[in-house]
Amino acid sequence: MFGRVKPLDAILATAEKKSLHRSLGPVQLTLLGVGAIIGTGIFVLTAAAAQKAGPGMMWSFVIAGFVCAVAALCYSELASMVPVSGSAYTYSYAVVGEMLAWMVGWALILEYAVAASAVSVGWSGYFMGLLKSMTGFELPAMLQAGPTWTMNGLLPHADFSTGLINVPAIVVALLVTWLLMLGTKESATFNAILVAIKVSALTMFIILTLPVIQREHFAPFAPNGWFGPAGTTGMGIVGAASSIFFAYVGFDAVSTAAEETKNPQRNVPIGLIGSLAICTVFYLLVAAGAIGAIGAQPTALGVAPGSAEFTQQCAAMLAAGQEPLVCSNEALAHVLRAVNYTYAGDLIGLAANLALPSVILMMLYGQTRIFFVMARDGLLPEKLATVHPKWKTPHIVTAMTGVFVAIAAALLPVGQLADISNSGTLFAFFMVAIAVMLLRARDPNRVRPFRTPAVWVVGPIAALGCIFLYWNLPFEAKMVLPVWGAIGLVFYFAYGFRKSHVGRGLVEVHEEDADAPPQPVPPIS
């Protein structure tokens, strides 16, 4: 099981045999990264982070951004060496073997699909807020949100008093799925427009809020401390960092686009690190503006966002005419309205409604490409790797993923979805950090267009950082990963272990790549 390693040369050969069209340049790739990163994490999860950490969420952004930065350096080296679809799954296959690669791919499925659901729920909150502000109309509460889920022993329990089904989230997830099926280049162009809207909206937010910052809103700075009150999990500054990590994870979707990128050896590292740097600056400025403008204190110490107790406290505060930042489903728009920039708040809401679908698009994009490459390796039914003759996209798996995302978005709250997604993400990032170090030791002479600086320092920091953040997730989110992994192992031994191309000894044959430069014609002797 652990000896089934697919050599890097064979991975590249597989990609050439059934390749995707190379159409993305460095600017498009960076915009794809920014589009995937800036989204629900800053527009919506700011409220959840404030409930966990208060103003100390400024440090939460720094901690999460630092772990992502060192992971990005590891990603960049592997992505530039192996410019094919598959991201951490593909890298793990080449270094630690098929079984662990399957587990990484299975975790990435959890990451991308659940993240797309989380963003769909975040979009729904902004959509309903803007609709109410501009027209006074709102859907019945039971159609705006799913139920609140809690653990009753080892079994989940649903409280339907807070909601039944999130209709707007279903609609946006299915619409974005349809767009993605039409084609990668068209999706990237559409995404570039939405990124411009999103960045302009956040810039406006920063310009309007920084002048009205009040220093007293930053005290107490860390009401829940670094790790939360005794007896709680996933709270405090570090707990908020584990959740807000979701705000950064889109950068790894750039590496899944490597196979559709022109000159990937140069452009993938540019897209990865460039998009991460741009987003980090925005996050810190936006967080400072939100905290300083209206404050960011939790409703009560040790109360987790999304819990039944938190929902009750927010309902009581709203009934009393108070709406703190932590209770808002549209955090940034709420901040501007609270400081008498109602029109600007509506513009932020409009920008979120227009721009958050780009994040859903990139999450679905990454998910379907993971499915695509796993099917191409025989670990999933190869029918899933079918590329549409006109659209040039894996349309079957895209449609399947979209339906799953819509169902999860309909039934789960955004905070729980983000934490669940983070559990899969952190495992995948951990494996990338291990893979880059193992490959340096095993194959030191291979050409590396981008080399991770100080890899024997950066690699261990990235791996330990992922373990640290995972350990500080809420208990329920931590438990999802091993349960999901066990389900994955059942699928692997029932199908993938027997059908694997590497396990069956199939040798991939190079075929002509339509995007590759023509081979030189040998001279006539």
Side-chain angles (χ1 to χ4, degrees):
M1 294 184 296
F2 296 98
R4 289 185 178 181
V5 175
K6 188 170 186 179
L8 290 179
D9 292 332
I11 291 173
L12 295 172
T14 304
E16 289 187 12
K17 183 177 180 182
K18 185 181 286 186
S19 62
L20 297 169
H21 181 63
R22 296 191 187 276
S23 60
L24 306 178
V27 175
Q28 281 181 314
L29 204 58
T30 300
L31 289 175
L32 286 174
V34 173
I37 296 170
I38 293 182
T40 297
I42 191 64
F43 278 94
V44 179
L45 289 181
T46 302
Q51 176 65 18
K52 291 187 174 188
M57 67 177 174
M58 295 283 292
W59 275 113
S60 303
F61 278 110
V62 172
I63 293 170
F66 174 75
V67 174
C68 271
V70 289
L73 291 173
C74 297
Y75 256 98
S76 295
E77 176 170 322
L78 293 177
S80 66
M81 293 170 63
V82 193
V84 298
S85 287
S87 184
Y89 158 76
T90 300
Y91 313 147
S92 300
Y93 212 156
V95 180
V96 295
E98 181 177 281
M99 184 174 176
L100 286 177
W102 165 269
M103 295 302 294
V104 170
W106 195 246
L108 286 174
I109 292 171
L110 180 69
E111 170 195 345
Y112 285 122
V114 177
S117 300
V119 181
S120 298
V121 176
W123 179 89
S124 174
Y126 270 91
F127 175 76
M128 294 311 304
L130 180 65
L131 191 64
K132 181 180 179 181
S133 176
M134 297 185 69
T135 69
F137 173 80
E138 58 178 331
L139 287 173
M142 299 299 283
L143 301 181
Q144 292 187 40
T148 299
W149 294 86
T150 56
M151 295 300 293
N152 184 10
L154 296 176
L155 298 176
H157 172 72
D159 179 2
F160 290 97
S161 63
T162 59
L164 177 63
I165 186 171
N166 195 325
V167 174
I170 296 174
V171 173
V172 72
L174 295 180
L175 283 177
V176 172
T177 299
W178 173 75
L179 174 67
L180 189 58
M181 289 173 64
L182 295 182
T184 301
K185 188 172 183 180
E186 292 78 2
S187 300
T189 303
F190 170 74
N191 179 75
I193 297 171
L194 296 186
V195 169
I197 294 173
K198 198 157 42 179
V199 171
S200 298
L202 292 183
T203 302
M204 179 186 72
F205 180 87
I206 293 167
I207 292 172
L208 293 177
T209 56
L210 291 186
V212 299
I213 284 179
Q214 300 180 42
R215 294 182 61 182
E216 57 267 26
H217 286 158
F218 288 86
F221 186 74
N224 280 315
W226 283 91
F227 296 95
T232 63
T233 58
M235 296 295 291
I237 291 175
V238 175
S242 298
S243 295
I244 212 68
F245 184 81
F246 180 83
Y248 288 94
V249 297
F251 81 84
D252 69 310
V254 173
S255 68
T256 70
E259 194 173 333
E260 295 166 84
T261 301
K262 294 179 287 188
N263 191 11
Q265 286 79 6
R266 178 179 71 93
N267 293 337
V268 169
I270 290 174
L272 281 168
I273 298 175
S275 59
L276 189 64
I278 291 170
C279 295
T280 300
V281 173
F282 268 108
Y283 283 1
L284 290 175
L285 291 175
V286 168
I291 296 166
I294 67 170
Q297 296 299 326
T299 58
L301 300 185
V303 177
S307 65
E309 184 179 358
F310 173 77
T311 303
Q312 293 169 0
Q313 291 175 353
C314 282
M317 297 178 79
L318 291 172
Q322 306 172 22
E323 186 177 358
L325 174 66
V326 296
C327 294
S328 177
N329 291 326
E330 40 167 359
L332 303 190
H334 170 66
V335 169
L336 291 180
R337 293 184 186 124
V339 292
N340 297 320
Y341 288 118
T342 303
Y343 183 69
D346 289 343
L347 286 179
I348 286 282
L350 179 62
N353 275 278
L354 293 174
L356 288 183
S358 71
V359 188
I360 304 171
L361 184 149
M362 277 309 303
M363 295 298 111
L364 284 170
Y365 178 96
Q367 164 69 86
T368 56
R369 270 47 181 184
I370 296 295
F371 264 132
F372 175 85
V373 76
M374 291 175 76
R376 193 170 58 184
D377 287 336
L379 296 179
L380 292 171
E382 293 190 54
K383 183 69 174 177
L384 296 178
T386 302
V387 176
H388 194 280
K390 179 181 178 181
W391 300 334
K392 307 298 182 184
T393 59
H395 59 293
I396 296 176
V397 72
T398 301
M400 291 174 55
T401 302
V403 171
F404 172 83
V405 166
I407 293 172
L411 300 175
L412 293 170
V414 63
Q416 289 180 334
L417 286 167
D419 287 338
I420 291 170
S421 175
N422 285 348
S423 66
T425 306
L426 289 166
F427 175 68
F429 286 7
F430 170 80
M431 291 305 301
V432 166
I434 298 299
V436 75
M437 292 186 288
L438 286 177
L439 201 56
R440 280 285 188 99
R442 292 180 182 176
D443 196 357
N445 297 322
R446 181 173 287 274
V447 175
R448 289 171 168 80
F450 177 88
R451 297 177 66 89
T452 302
V455 68
W456 300 111
V457 176
V458 171
I461 290 176
L464 292 174
C466 290
I467 294 173
F468 177 68
L469 291 183
Y470 174 81
W471 188 255
N472 284 282
L473 284 170
F475 175 77
E476 294 83 358
K478 282 190 290 190
M479 290 300 99
V480 167
L481 182 63
V483 172
W484 178 253
I487 296 172
L489 286 176
V490 172
F491 275 92
Y492 173 70
F493 286 112
Y495 183 90
F497 182 72
R498 296 179 295 105
K499 299 290 186 177
S500 161
H501 289 183
V502 172
R504 293 160 60 193
L506 298 181
V507 178
E508 302 294 344
V509 179
H510 285 265
E511 295 183 0
E512 182 178 356
D513 185 346
D515 298 306
Q519 296 296 320
V521 178
I524 300 175
S525 55

